[in-house]
Coordinates of all heavy atoms in Angstrom, one line a residue:
S132 N -184.8 33.2 -43.2 CA -185.3 32.2 -44.1 C -185.9 32.9 -45.4 O -186.4 34.0 -45.4 CB -186.3 31.3 -43.5 OG -185.7 30.6 -42.5
V133 N -185.9 32.1 -46.5 CA -186.4 32.6 -47.8 C -187.5 31.6 -48.2 O -187.2 30.4 -48.1 CB -185.4 32.8 -48.9 CG1 -185.9 32.9 -50.3 CG2 -184.4 33.9 -48.6
V134 N -188.7 32.1 -48.7 CA -189.6 31.3 -49.4 C -189.7 31.8 -50.8 O -189.9 33.1 -51.0 CB -191.0 31.3 -48.7 CG1 -192.0 30.5 -49.5 CG2 -190.8 30.7 -47.3
G135 N -189.6 31.0 -51.8 CA -189.8 31.4 -53.2 C -190.1 30.4 -54.2 O -190.2 29.2 -53.8
F136 N -190.5 30.8 -55.4 CA -190.8 29.9 -56.4 C -189.9 30.1 -57.7 O -189.5 31.2 -57.9 CB -192.2 30.2 -56.9 CG -193.3 29.9 -55.8 CD1 -193.7 30.7 -54.9 CD2 -193.9 28.6 -56.0 CE1 -194.6 30.4 -54.0 CE2 -194.8 28.3 -54.9 CZ -195.2 29.2 -54.0
A137 N -189.6 29.0 -58.4 CA -188.9 29.1 -59.7 C -189.9 28.6 -60.7 O -190.4 27.5 -60.5 CB -187.6 28.2 -59.5
F138 N -189.9 29.3 -61.8 CA -190.7 28.8 -63.0 C -189.9 28.8 -64.1 O -188.9 29.6 -64.3 CB -191.8 29.9 -63.2 CG -192.7 30.2 -61.9 CD1 -192.5 31.2 -61.1 CD2 -193.9 29.5 -61.6 CE1 -193.3 31.5 -60.1 CE2 -194.6 29.6 -60.6 CZ -194.3 30.8 -59.7
G139 N -190.1 27.8 -64.9 CA -189.3 27.7 -66.2 C -190.3 27.4 -67.3 O -191.3 26.7 -67.1
A140 N -190.0 27.8 -68.5 CA -190.8 27.5 -69.7 C -189.9 27.5 -71.0 O -188.8 28.1 -70.8 CB -191.8 28.7 -69.9
P141 N -190.2 26.7 -72.0 CA -191.5 26.3 -72.3 C -191.9 24.8 -71.9 O -192.9 24.4 -72.3 CB -191.4 26.5 -73.9 CG -190.0 26.1 -74.2 CD -189.2 26.6 -73.0
K142 N -190.9 24.2 -71.2 CA -191.3 22.8 -70.9 C -191.4 22.7 -69.3 O -190.9 23.4 -68.6 CB -190.2 21.9 -71.5 CG -190.2 21.9 -72.9 CD -189.1 21.0 -73.4 CE -187.8 21.9 -73.5 NZ -186.7 21.1 -73.9
A143 N -191.9 21.5 -68.9 CA -192.0 21.3 -67.4 C -190.8 20.8 -66.9 O -190.6 20.9 -65.6 CB -193.2 20.2 -67.2
R144 N -189.9 20.3 -67.7 CA -188.6 19.8 -67.3 C -187.5 20.2 -68.3 O -187.8 20.1 -69.5 CB -188.6 18.2 -67.1 CG -189.5 17.7 -66.0 CD -189.4 16.2 -65.8 NE -188.2 15.9 -65.2 CZ -188.0 15.8 -63.8 NH1 -188.9 16.2 -63.1 NH2 -186.7 15.5 -63.4
H145 N -186.4 20.6 -67.9 CA -185.3 21.0 -68.8 C -184.6 19.7 -69.2 O -184.7 18.8 -68.6 CB -184.4 22.0 -68.0 CG -183.8 21.6 -66.8 ND1 -183.0 20.5 -66.7 CD2 -184.1 22.0 -65.5 CE1 -182.7 20.4 -65.4 NE2 -183.5 21.3 -64.6
N146 N -183.8 19.9 -70.3 CA -183.0 18.8 -70.7 C -181.7 19.0 -70.1 O -181.1 20.1 -70.1 CB -182.9 18.8 -72.2 CG -184.2 18.5 -72.9 OD1 -185.0 17.7 -72.4 ND2 -184.4 19.1 -74.2
W147 N -181.1 18.0 -69.4 CA -179.9 18.2 -68.8 C -178.7 18.5 -69.7 O -177.9 19.3 -69.3 CB -179.5 16.8 -68.0 CG -180.3 16.5 -66.8 CD1 -181.3 15.6 -66.8 CD2 -180.4 17.2 -65.6 NE1 -181.9 15.6 -65.5 CE2 -181.4 16.6 -64.9 CE3 -179.6 18.2 -65.0 CZ2 -181.6 17.0 -63.5 CZ3 -179.9 18.8 -63.9 CH2 -180.9 18.1 -63.0
D148 N -178.8 18.1 -70.9 CA -177.8 18.5 -71.9 C -177.9 19.9 -72.4 O -177.0 20.5 -73.1 CB -177.7 17.5 -73.1 CG -178.9 17.4 -74.0 OD1 -179.9 18.2 -73.5 OD2 -178.8 16.9 -75.0
Q149 N -178.9 20.7 -71.9 CA -179.1 22.0 -72.3 C -178.8 23.0 -71.1 O -179.1 24.2 -71.1 CB -180.6 22.3 -72.8 CG -180.9 21.6 -74.0 CD -180.1 22.1 -75.1 OE1 -180.1 23.4 -75.3 NE2 -179.4 21.3 -75.9
I150 N -178.1 22.4 -70.1 CA -177.8 23.3 -68.9 C -176.2 23.4 -69.0 O -175.5 22.4 -69.3 CB -178.1 22.6 -67.6 CG1 -179.6 22.4 -67.4 CG2 -177.6 23.3 -66.4 CD1 -180.1 21.7 -66.2
E151 N -175.7 24.5 -68.7 CA -174.3 24.8 -68.7 C -174.0 25.5 -67.5 O -174.6 26.5 -67.0 CB -173.9 25.6 -70.0 CG -172.4 25.9 -70.1 CD -172.1 26.8 -71.4 OE1 -173.0 27.1 -72.0 OE2 -171.0 27.1 -71.5

Side-chain angles (χ1 to χ4, degrees):
S132 296
V133 167
V134 174
F136 291 86
F138 304 94
K142 297 178 274 181
R144 296 183 71 87
H145 51 72
N146 294 327
W147 289 108
D148 63 350
Q149 292 296 308
I150 298 175
E151 181 181 359

